Amino acid sequence: RGWEGPGAVGRHTAIGRSLGRWVPVAVIRMGDKPLWEQIGSGFVQHYYQVFDADRSQLGSLYIDASCLSWEGQQFQGKTAIVEKIIGLPFRKIQHSITAQDHQPTPDSCILSMVVGQLQADEDPVMGFHQIFLLKNINDAWVCTNDVFRLALHNFG
């Protein structure tokens, strides 16, 4: 079903839409942060909480048209994406977010970029980068595009 956003915000509000009419995106604010930042950061927090607790439950955040690029490998569709994530070669993982940036897109989606560190099982801590494209479908935010890379540098 996707992620319904922070409180009622994600359920009944599309980026750039207010009371049934389109308004400039910069106008939509709740508190100190623009709406797209609240939705993006809420999605990111939810995604990594689910990933770290039980990654088999991430399927609700994708749709059949979603695409994942994982270390250069391409996967399309909710089933293929979840199979890839479940099949990763570790039992436990812990993500720590260092920074995240969110932008509204002209077609009312949200582009989110995450930089962080992860530790899988007892392996050394590694840096990673992940980008999500979020879209509101049927009053829930889903990930239509997901790009993941470990921050490994091979200068040899």
Side-chain angles (χ1 to χ4, degrees):
R1 165 105 172 96
W3 180 72
E4 295 185 352
V9 171
R11 286 183 62 88
H12 304 292
T13 307
I15 298 299
R17 184 182 295 225
S18 176
L19 302 174
R21 60 185 168 82
W22 291 99
V23 296
V25 180
V27 171
I28 299 175
R29 287 183 168 270
M30 292 189 66
D32 294 336
K33 292 183 178 180
L35 184 58
W36 67 84
E37 284 189 22
Q38 292 180 47
I39 293 169
S41 62
F43 182 92
V44 165
Q45 179 181 2
H46 178 72
Y47 178 89
Y48 293 111
Q49 283 176 347
V50 172
F51 198 115
D52 292 356
D54 181 3
R55 63 187 185 260
S56 70
Q57 300 302 308
L58 288 172
S60 65
L61 301 180
Y62 295 96
I63 58 174
D64 289 335
S66 294
C67 294
L68 168 68
S69 295
W70 188 277
E71 290 291 315
Q73 292 182 301
Q74 304 294 320
F75 302 89
Q76 184 164 9
K78 178 193 305 196
T79 301
I81 292 169
V82 172
E83 285 175 359
K84 171 59 180 176
I85 293 171
I86 290 172
L88 293 170
F90 51 81
R91 288 184 315 282
K92 66 178 183 166
I93 189 165
Q94 179 69 43
H95 291 87
S96 176
I97 306 306
T98 305
Q100 54 184 304
D101 296 293
H102 311 280
Q103 295 180 350
T105 67
D107 58 347
S108 300
C109 294
I110 300 170
L111 180 66
S112 296
M113 179 180 165
V114 178
V115 176
Q117 295 183 315
L118 61 81
Q119 183 174 23
D121 293 328
E122 303 305 318
D123 292 346
V125 173
M126 295 181 277
F128 75 93
H129 307 274
Q130 193 159 13
I131 298 171
F132 301 102
L133 184 62
L134 309 176
K135 183 174 182 68
N136 191 308
I137 299 176
N138 298 325
D139 294 329
W141 289 95
V142 295
C143 179
T144 60
N145 299 82
D146 181 351
V147 179
F148 175 88
R149 283 276 180 181
L150 290 171
L152 302 176
H153 303 282
N154 183 359
F155 297 112

